[in-house]
Amino acid sequence: MTMITNHMPTVELQAIDAAHHMHPFTHGADLNAKGVRVITRAKGVTLTDSEGNEILDAMAGLWCVNLGYGREELAEVAARQMRELPYYNTFFQTTHVPAIALAEKLAQLTPGDLNHVFYAGSGSEANDTNIRLVRTYWAEKGSPEKKIIIARKNGYHGSSVGSASLGGMTPMHEQGGLPIEDIHHIDQPHWYAEGGDMDQGEFGLMRARALEEAILELGEDKVAAFIGEPVQGAGGVIIPPETYWPEIQRICDKYNILLIADEVICGFGRTGNWFGSETFGIKPHIMTIAKGLSSGYAPIGGSLLCDEVAEVINGCEFSHGYTYSGHPVTCAVALENLRILDEEKIVEKAGKEIAPYFKEKWETLADHPLVGEARIVGHMGSIALTPHKESRAKFASDAGTAGLICREHCFANKLIMRHTGDRMVISPPLVITKAEIDTLVSRAHKALDQAHAQLKTEGLLKAAS
Ligand SMILES: *Cc1c(COP(=O)(O)O)cnc(C)c1O
């Protein structure tokens, strides 16, 4: 076996990666032709690659490293837990301290009476759990025909068969025959792209009422639940109009359907409060968590249930669970992550002290000629690239062409921003400082200038007709 170390030349690592490693959401042959980037270390908000470049990670990995990289305490806790009890299951009348302690901490941190956790290994798994949970809930209550889950176009809920079915990403549905049965998608509250000349508040109400129309069309007695991300993340950081969530809440209450808030990104400080549900005034029956739960240091997810739903589910044998539901090492790491976020007041400081500064700086990007809007809530933001600001026009080129060009320039300027289509998104660690925000925004500005110049040279600044 070859010893693969950080000290191997990058080209050799790339060759082995190309030969044997298949990457998620990637055109493999294209990637292998370009060569993959090898990340070797990280500290705070900064990544180091195999060439020694230091890069500002404005994505916190994949929206998850809320605490920032390199916290010794999490490594210590993981090592201690592995020595003491590396694994035991929670299936057969058994439990262990990390699963207990984390469950209690989650009950304390979450709003309302979300007092019960069902553990999973990821956000996708947790949303698969949710599909079975809500259908089982209604079956137990004597309404087994209440099965349909309403979700949104361009929502993201994971990549397993169930969670990708909840998601509204058409390229994902096209591969492998998704969605599964009894999932219904409604339009998203994406004013910038779809709102036309409408007032934003009116548009928000209209898109929320699409839920009511769907319930009336499908039948109240057939609809089990609605699922949504407080802010759509992977869909492009779509911050809904203020009118949207209160109207969704009203409709869920009126028609007696369960409300699932997918807080996999929004949870644990991302939107300025501990949970997006607090920022947007949502009272969910079920909440999906993952990502920031462990700041990505260990894979873990979960479903939080309110008292009433938990009581019904506890009234039957729920035939569901994962080998790693409540894994002791990942639970211990998540608990330590939450302890630090809480005791060091990282969530509070990020929301109250840093977020207003971040917003002021981020919104300066809206003045750039290539930018149609620059928006941010807490520590998640987006900019829409456009060939024509006033009309919010799309590019004539394939969606994502301009975004990809911009992303390449970001990387060349030692900044990681992701693109979804022609929107650039950020979601940095919550520990980012004001000085680092200045660096982030100035690098973004420079990358936008360069992308603008390249798009002009290549004749790509044309608006779609
Ligand atoms: C990432 C994500 C998921 C899926 O989580 P995984 O851990 O990748 O399975 C689910 N919902 C939302 C909102 C996400 O952003």
Side-chain angles (χ1 to χ4, degrees):
M1 198 184 86
T2 340
M3 271 289 285
I4 298 175
T5 73
N6 280 343
H7 307 293
M8 253 168 113
T10 304
V11 285
E12 286 181 34
L13 291 168
Q14 287 172 327
I16 301 170
D17 191 86
H20 302 297
H21 178 198
M22 302 191 69
H23 292 251
F25 290 95
T26 295
H27 188 293
D30 282 358
L31 175 70
N32 294 342
K34 276 202 265 184
V36 70
R37 295 178 175 111
V38 183
I39 305 300
T40 52
R41 259 172 288 137
K43 182 93 189 150
V45 301
T46 307
L47 305 170
T48 306
D49 72 10
S50 55
E51 300 291 287
N53 293 309
E54 296 201 333
I55 308 152
L56 198 164
D57 183 10
M59 279 307 296
L62 270 179
W63 326 80
C64 54
V65 189
N66 292 13
L67 185 58
Y69 297 95
R71 288 296 299 237
E72 257 325 292
E73 300 92 326
L74 274 66
E76 287 298 326
V77 159
R80 202 186 316 139
Q81 187 60 47
M82 279 202 191
R83 291 195 182 98
E84 200 171 287
L85 180 70
Y87 178 76
Y88 200 70
N89 76 73
T90 53
F91 283 34
F92 310 121
Q93 208 188 331
T94 49
T95 188
H96 46 68
V97 176
I100 298 170
L102 180 61
E104 184 190 38
K105 183 75 180 172
L106 286 168
Q108 286 164 1
L109 286 174
T110 46
D113 64 347
L114 295 165
N115 290 324
H116 314 267
V117 63
F118 193 102
Y119 290 118
S122 66
S124 301
E125 286 180 13
N127 278 325
D128 276 19
T129 299
N130 291 340
I131 295 173
R132 306 195 67 205
L133 267 178
V134 298
R135 291 177 178 171
T136 306
Y137 169 87
W138 287 114
E140 284 298 304
K141 284 177 72 105
S143 308
E145 68 293 345
K146 253 172 108 72
K147 278 200 302 215
I148 299 173
I149 302 173
I150 300 178
R152 297 165 319 163
K153 294 176 188 163
N154 197 36
Y156 187 80
H157 300 294
S159 196
S160 58
V161 170
S163 62
S165 294
L166 292 174
M169 304 287 181
T170 32
M172 293 178 75
H173 291 173
E174 282 159 9
Q175 295 172 329
L178 303 186
I180 58 167
E181 270 179 42
D182 291 325
I183 310 284
H184 182 88
H185 294 93
I186 58 173
D187 283 330
Q188 56 177 335
H190 190 353
W191 177 82
Y192 179 86
E194 300 174 0
D197 295 332
M198 261 182 114
D199 168 77
Q200 296 203 33
E202 283 298 311
F203 178 77
L205 282 179
M206 183 183 86
R207 285 295 157 97
R209 286 177 190 152
L211 174 61
E212 188 160 32
E213 284 160 27
I215 295 168
L216 294 173
E217 179 198 316
L218 299 162
E220 190 184 333
D221 54 343
K222 297 280 188 329
V223 179
F226 171 75
I227 183 168
E229 306 153 78
V231 177
Q232 287 157 263
V237 182
I238 315 297
I239 305 168
E242 279 173 16
T243 49
Y244 182 77
W245 276 110
E247 185 66 1
I248 290 281
Q249 182 76 54
R250 181 190 71 76
I251 295 164
C252 290
D253 292 347
K254 178 171 176 193
Y255 296 98
N256 198 23
I257 69 170
L258 297 174
L259 175 51
I260 309 169
D262 185 341
E263 295 253 14
V264 170
I265 289 177
C266 293
F268 308 102
R270 181 59 56 203
T271 68
N273 295 292
W274 272 93
F275 295 94
S277 292
E278 293 160 318
T279 305
F280 293 92
I282 308 165
K283 291 199 282 303
H285 297 93
I286 296 174
M287 183 189 275
T288 321
I289 54 172
K291 295 194 172 121
L293 167 58
S294 66
S295 284
Y297 282 62
I300 182 169
S303 304
L304 283 152
L305 284 62
C306 70
D307 289 341
E308 205 260 328
V309 173
E311 195 183 309
V312 172
I313 297 296
N314 281 334
C316 72
E317 179 175 332
F318 186 40
S319 301
H320 179 77
Y322 306 106
T323 301
Y324 299 138
S325 285
H327 189 286
V329 177
T330 64
C331 284
V333 170
L335 184 61
E336 182 66 3
N337 169 58
L338 298 183
R339 184 191 69 75
I340 298 173
L341 287 175
D342 195 9
E343 287 179 15
E344 293 184 9
K345 304 205 182 310
I346 291 170
V347 170
E348 206 178 310
K349 278 188 205 147
K352 296 213 173 80
E353 287 170 30
I354 304 297
Y357 182 82
F358 207 164
K359 184 170 158 68
E360 191 190 315
K361 295 286 157 177
W362 183 252
E363 287 176 353
T364 63
L365 294 171
D367 298 333
H368 195 278
L370 192 57
V371 174
E373 71 165 359
R375 298 195 60 200
I376 190 165
V377 55
H379 282 54
M380 64 193 294
S382 56
I383 52 186
L385 306 182
T386 176
H388 189 249
K389 280 170 103 78
E390 290 68 31
S391 62
R392 315 202 301 269
K394 293 192 177 109
F395 292 91
S397 53
D398 289 345
T401 308
L404 183 60
I405 287 171
C406 187
R407 189 187 78 176
E408 295 297 323
H409 286 293
C410 288
F411 211 94
N413 285 290
K414 301 194 162 94
L415 171 66
I416 294 200
M417 274 211 275
R418 179 170 158 185
H419 79 107
T420 56
D422 295 318
R423 286 178 85 81
M424 306 304 299
V425 301
I426 56 157
S427 167
L430 305 183
V431 295
I432 192 169
T433 63
K434 289 182 180 173
E436 287 163 340
I437 288 170
D438 293 347
T439 306
L440 188 165
V441 173
S442 83
R443 288 181 189 174
H445 212 284
K446 201 163 157 207
L448 284 165
D449 283 345
Q450 292 165 346
H452 193 221
Q454 184 180 342
L455 290 166
K456 206 168 186 174
T457 315
E458 295 182 7
L460 292 169
L461 273 181
K462 286 193 208 76
S465 47

mmCIF file of all heavy atoms in Angstrom, residues 122-124 127 156-158 229 262 264-265 291, ligand 1:
data_model
loop_
_atom_site.group_PDB
_atom_site.id
_atom_site.type_symbol
_atom_site.label_atom_id
_atom_site.label_comp_id
_atom_site.label_asym_id
_atom_site.label_seq_id
_atom_site.Cartn_x
_atom_site.Cartn_y
_atom_site.Cartn_z
ATOM 1 N N SER A 122 -26.591 12.163 9.067
ATOM 2 C CA SER A 122 -26.461 13.297 8.145
ATOM 3 C C SER A 122 -27.812 13.972 7.991
ATOM 4 O O SER A 122 -28.834 13.450 8.458
ATOM 5 C CB SER A 122 -26.012 12.794 6.759
ATOM 6 O OG SER A 122 -27.045 12.001 6.193
ATOM 7 N N GLY A 123 -27.816 15.089 7.277
ATOM 8 C CA GLY A 123 -29.067 15.787 7.003
ATOM 9 C C GLY A 123 -29.979 14.975 6.090
ATOM 10 O O GLY A 123 -31.203 14.957 6.269
ATOM 11 N N SER A 124 -29.386 14.295 5.114
ATOM 12 C CA SER A 124 -30.187 13.477 4.192
ATOM 13 C C SER A 124 -30.916 12.379 4.952
ATOM 14 O O SER A 124 -32.124 12.164 4.774
ATOM 15 C CB SER A 124 -29.289 12.810 3.139
ATOM 16 O OG SER A 124 -28.582 13.755 2.390
ATOM 17 N N ASN A 127 -33.797 13.739 6.987
ATOM 18 C CA ASN A 127 -35.001 14.027 6.204
ATOM 19 C C ASN A 127 -35.699 12.747 5.743
ATOM 20 O O ASN A 127 -36.925 12.730 5.611
ATOM 21 C CB ASN A 127 -34.677 14.956 5.037
ATOM 22 C CG ASN A 127 -34.646 16.410 5.496
ATOM 23 O OD1 ASN A 127 -35.415 16.817 6.374
ATOM 24 N ND2 ASN A 127 -33.749 17.201 4.916
ATOM 25 N N TYR A 156 -33.504 22.343 -1.204
ATOM 26 C CA TYR A 156 -32.517 21.258 -1.078
ATOM 27 C C TYR A 156 -32.679 20.587 0.273
ATOM 28 O O TYR A 156 -32.639 21.253 1.313
ATOM 29 C CB TYR A 156 -31.077 21.763 -1.223
ATOM 30 C CG TYR A 156 -30.089 20.604 -1.259
ATOM 31 C CD1 TYR A 156 -29.895 19.886 -2.426
ATOM 32 C CD2 TYR A 156 -29.414 20.199 -0.115
ATOM 33 C CE1 TYR A 156 -29.035 18.789 -2.462
ATOM 34 C CE2 TYR A 156 -28.551 19.106 -0.134
ATOM 35 C CZ TYR A 156 -28.371 18.412 -1.315
ATOM 36 O OH TYR A 156 -27.515 17.322 -1.346
ATOM 37 N N HIS A 157 -32.862 19.266 0.250
ATOM 38 C CA HIS A 157 -33.033 18.547 1.512
ATOM 39 C C HIS A 157 -32.131 17.339 1.623
ATOM 40 O O HIS A 157 -32.299 16.533 2.537
ATOM 41 C CB HIS A 157 -34.504 18.147 1.690
ATOM 42 C CG HIS A 157 -35.429 19.325 1.721
ATOM 43 N ND1 HIS A 157 -35.412 20.259 2.739
ATOM 44 C CD2 HIS A 157 -36.362 19.774 0.828
ATOM 45 C CE1 HIS A 157 -36.317 21.210 2.491
ATOM 46 N NE2 HIS A 157 -36.896 20.942 1.325
ATOM 47 N N GLY A 158 -31.184 17.181 0.683
ATOM 48 C CA GLY A 158 -30.253 16.073 0.767
ATOM 49 C C GLY A 158 -30.204 15.275 -0.510
ATOM 50 O O GLY A 158 -30.869 15.613 -1.496
ATOM 51 N N GLU A 229 -36.766 25.083 3.925
ATOM 52 C CA GLU A 229 -35.618 25.674 4.600
ATOM 53 C C GLU A 229 -36.006 27.123 4.931
ATOM 54 O O GLU A 229 -36.524 27.824 4.053
ATOM 55 C CB GLU A 229 -34.407 25.711 3.671
ATOM 56 C CG GLU A 229 -34.006 24.385 3.032
ATOM 57 C CD GLU A 229 -33.287 24.594 1.680
ATOM 58 O OE1 GLU A 229 -32.098 24.937 1.694
ATOM 59 O OE2 GLU A 229 -33.943 24.425 0.615
ATOM 60 N N ASP A 262 -36.413 22.678 7.779
ATOM 61 C CA ASP A 262 -35.110 22.057 7.519
ATOM 62 C C ASP A 262 -34.038 23.090 7.854
ATOM 63 O O ASP A 262 -33.741 23.983 7.073
ATOM 64 C CB ASP A 262 -35.006 21.601 6.060
ATOM 65 C CG ASP A 262 -33.704 20.850 5.793
ATOM 66 O OD1 ASP A 262 -32.758 20.990 6.597
ATOM 67 O OD2 ASP A 262 -33.626 20.134 4.775
ATOM 68 N N VAL A 264 -30.857 22.491 8.487
ATOM 69 C CA VAL A 264 -29.523 21.900 8.361
ATOM 70 C C VAL A 264 -28.471 22.991 8.148
ATOM 71 O O VAL A 264 -27.392 22.939 8.736
ATOM 72 C CB VAL A 264 -29.503 20.828 7.252
ATOM 73 C CG1 VAL A 264 -28.079 20.385 6.937
ATOM 74 C CG2 VAL A 264 -30.323 19.619 7.683
ATOM 75 N N ILE A 265 -28.798 24.008 7.358
ATOM 76 C CA ILE A 265 -27.878 25.142 7.207
ATOM 77 C C ILE A 265 -28.218 26.252 8.206
ATOM 78 O O ILE A 265 -27.335 26.812 8.860
ATOM 79 C CB ILE A 265 -27.917 25.703 5.772
ATOM 80 C CG1 ILE A 265 -27.262 24.716 4.800
ATOM 81 C CG2 ILE A 265 -27.202 27.064 5.707
ATOM 82 C CD1 ILE A 265 -27.312 25.137 3.344
ATOM 83 N N LYS A 291 -25.012 19.478 9.725
ATOM 84 C CA LYS A 291 -23.978 20.498 9.464
ATOM 85 C C LYS A 291 -23.441 21.201 10.727
ATOM 86 O O LYS A 291 -22.616 20.655 11.419
ATOM 87 C CB LYS A 291 -24.482 21.497 8.424
ATOM 88 C CG LYS A 291 -24.695 20.817 7.060
ATOM 89 C CD LYS A 291 -24.866 21.743 5.894
ATOM 90 C CE LYS A 291 -24.860 20.956 4.591
ATOM 91 N NZ LYS A 291 -26.049 21.090 3.776
HETATM 92 C C1 LIG B 1 -26.853 19.878 3.258
HETATM 93 C C2 LIG B 1 -28.292 19.868 3.469
HETATM 94 C C3 LIG B 1 -29.000 18.674 3.687
HETATM 95 C C4 LIG B 1 -28.342 17.337 3.563
HETATM 96 O O1 LIG B 1 -27.394 17.104 4.552
HETATM 97 P P1 LIG B 1 -26.263 15.997 4.291
HETATM 98 O O2 LIG B 1 -25.543 15.975 5.615
HETATM 99 O O3 LIG B 1 -25.436 16.461 3.134
HETATM 100 O O4 LIG B 1 -26.935 14.727 4.010
HETATM 101 C C5 LIG B 1 -30.335 18.741 4.004
HETATM 102 N N1 LIG B 1 -30.969 19.919 4.062
HETATM 103 C C6 LIG B 1 -30.344 21.078 3.845
HETATM 104 C C7 LIG B 1 -31.109 22.357 3.969
HETATM 105 C C8 LIG B 1 -28.995 21.098 3.511
HETATM 106 O O5 LIG B 1 -28.382 22.241 3.247
#
